[in-house]
PDB file of all heavy atoms in Angstrom:
ATOM      1  N   GLY O 536      22.635-168.019  17.406  1.00 79.00           N
ATOM      2  CA  GLY O 536      22.012-166.880  16.715  1.00 79.00           C
ATOM      3  C   GLY O 536      21.624-165.806  17.591  1.00 79.00           C
ATOM      4  O   GLY O 536      21.761-164.601  17.425  1.00 79.00           O
ATOM      5  N   GLY O 537      20.949-166.186  18.881  1.00 84.00           N
ATOM      6  CA  GLY O 537      20.466-165.257  19.783  1.00 84.00           C
ATOM      7  C   GLY O 537      21.626-164.465  20.352  1.00 84.00           C
ATOM      8  O   GLY O 537      21.529-163.317  20.685  1.00 84.00           O
ATOM      9  N   THR O 538      22.689-165.211  20.796  1.00 87.00           N
ATOM     10  CA  THR O 538      23.815-164.567  21.422  1.00 87.00           C
ATOM     11  C   THR O 538      24.482-163.542  20.508  1.00 87.00           C
ATOM     12  O   THR O 538      24.792-162.393  20.791  1.00 87.00           O
ATOM     13  CB  THR O 538      24.920-165.576  21.857  1.00 87.00           C
ATOM     14  OG1 THR O 538      24.324-166.556  22.640  1.00 87.00           O
ATOM     15  CG2 THR O 538      26.075-164.997  22.555  1.00 87.00           C
ATOM     16  N   CYS O 539      24.710-163.887  19.174  1.00 87.00           N
ATOM     17  CA  CYS O 539      25.301-163.018  18.279  1.00 87.00           C
ATOM     18  C   CYS O 539      24.438-161.786  18.013  1.00 87.00           C
ATOM     19  O   CYS O 539      24.905-160.667  17.934  1.00 87.00           O
ATOM     20  CB  CYS O 539      25.551-163.739  16.901  1.00 87.00           C
ATOM     21  SG  CYS O 539      26.890-164.971  16.997  1.00 87.00           S
ATOM     22  N   ALA O 540      23.057-161.944  18.001  1.00 88.00           N
ATOM     23  CA  ALA O 540      22.176-160.910  17.771  1.00 88.00           C
ATOM     24  C   ALA O 540      22.183-159.950  18.980  1.00 88.00           C
ATOM     25  O   ALA O 540      22.133-158.666  18.781  1.00 88.00           O
ATOM     26  CB  ALA O 540      20.690-161.429  17.575  1.00 88.00           C
ATOM     27  N   LEU O 541      22.248-160.523  20.179  1.00 93.00           N
ATOM     28  CA  LEU O 541      22.292-159.568  21.329  1.00 93.00           C
ATOM     29  C   LEU O 541      23.616-158.763  21.324  1.00 93.00           C
ATOM     30  O   LEU O 541      23.563-157.613  21.672  1.00 93.00           O
ATOM     31  CB  LEU O 541      22.158-160.508  22.613  1.00 93.00           C
ATOM     32  CG  LEU O 541      20.882-161.009  22.886  1.00 93.00           C
ATOM     33  CD1 LEU O 541      20.797-161.868  24.136  1.00 93.00           C
ATOM     34  CD2 LEU O 541      19.707-159.952  23.072  1.00 93.00           C
ATOM     35  N   VAL O 542      24.738-159.428  21.047  1.00 91.00           N
ATOM     36  CA  VAL O 542      26.010-158.730  21.009  1.00 91.00           C
ATOM     37  C   VAL O 542      26.007-157.630  20.031  1.00 91.00           C
ATOM     38  O   VAL O 542      26.366-156.438  20.268  1.00 91.00           O
ATOM     39  CB  VAL O 542      27.112-159.705  20.793  1.00 91.00           C
ATOM     40  CG1 VAL O 542      28.476-158.984  20.591  1.00 91.00           C
ATOM     41  CG2 VAL O 542      27.326-160.671  21.912  1.00 91.00           C
ATOM     42  N   LEU O 543      25.481-157.993  18.789  1.00 90.00           N
ATOM     43  CA  LEU O 543      25.397-156.988  17.721  1.00 90.00           C
ATOM     44  C   LEU O 543      24.483-155.785  18.071  1.00 90.00           C
ATOM     45  O   LEU O 543      24.789-154.655  17.822  1.00 90.00           O
ATOM     46  CB  LEU O 543      24.955-157.723  16.353  1.00 90.00           C
ATOM     47  CG  LEU O 543      25.029-156.861  15.122  1.00 90.00           C
ATOM     48  CD1 LEU O 543      26.445-156.351  14.857  1.00 90.00           C
ATOM     49  CD2 LEU O 543      24.507-157.630  14.007  1.00 90.00           C
ATOM     50  N   LEU O 544      23.337-156.093  18.695  1.00 91.00           N
ATOM     51  CA  LEU O 544      22.432-155.104  19.112  1.00 91.00           C
ATOM     52  C   LEU O 544      23.052-154.144  20.121  1.00 91.00           C
ATOM     53  O   LEU O 544      22.844-152.868  20.136  1.00 91.00           O
ATOM     54  CB  LEU O 544      21.112-155.719  19.604  1.00 91.00           C
ATOM     55  CG  LEU O 544      19.983-154.753  20.011  1.00 91.00           C
ATOM     56  CD1 LEU O 544      19.517-153.934  18.857  1.00 91.00           C
ATOM     57  CD2 LEU O 544      18.814-155.504  20.684  1.00 91.00           C
ATOM     58  N   ALA O 545      23.743-154.724  21.106  1.00 92.00           N
ATOM     59  CA  ALA O 545      24.347-153.968  22.109  1.00 92.00           C
ATOM     60  C   ALA O 545      25.431-152.991  21.554  1.00 92.00           C
ATOM     61  O   ALA O 545      25.448-151.808  21.923  1.00 92.00           O
ATOM     62  CB  ALA O 545      24.960-154.808  23.236  1.00 92.00           C
ATOM     63  N   LEU O 546      26.206-153.481  20.530  1.00 90.00           N
ATOM     64  CA  LEU O 546      27.160-152.645  19.883  1.00 90.00           C
ATOM     65  C   LEU O 546      26.501-151.473  19.213  1.00 90.00           C
ATOM     66  O   LEU O 546      26.951-150.304  19.279  1.00 90.00           O
ATOM     67  CB  LEU O 546      28.074-153.513  19.036  1.00 90.00           C
ATOM     68  CG  LEU O 546      28.982-154.468  19.614  1.00 90.00           C
ATOM     69  CD1 LEU O 546      29.761-155.344  18.518  1.00 90.00           C
ATOM     70  CD2 LEU O 546      30.061-153.777  20.438  1.00 90.00           C
ATOM     71  N   VAL O 547      25.432-151.761  18.510  1.00 91.00           N
ATOM     72  CA  VAL O 547      24.790-150.736  17.696  1.00 91.00           C
ATOM     73  C   VAL O 547      24.174-149.696  18.620  1.00 91.00           C
ATOM     74  O   VAL O 547      24.310-148.503  18.440  1.00 91.00           O
ATOM     75  CB  VAL O 547      23.730-151.398  16.827  1.00 91.00           C
ATOM     76  CG1 VAL O 547      22.784-150.309  16.080  1.00 91.00           C
ATOM     77  CG2 VAL O 547      24.414-152.275  15.766  1.00 91.00           C
TER      78      VAL O 547
END
Side-chain angles (χ1 to χ4, degrees):
T538 302
C539 291
L541 289 176
V542 172
L543 189 59
L544 182 62
L546 289 174
V547 171

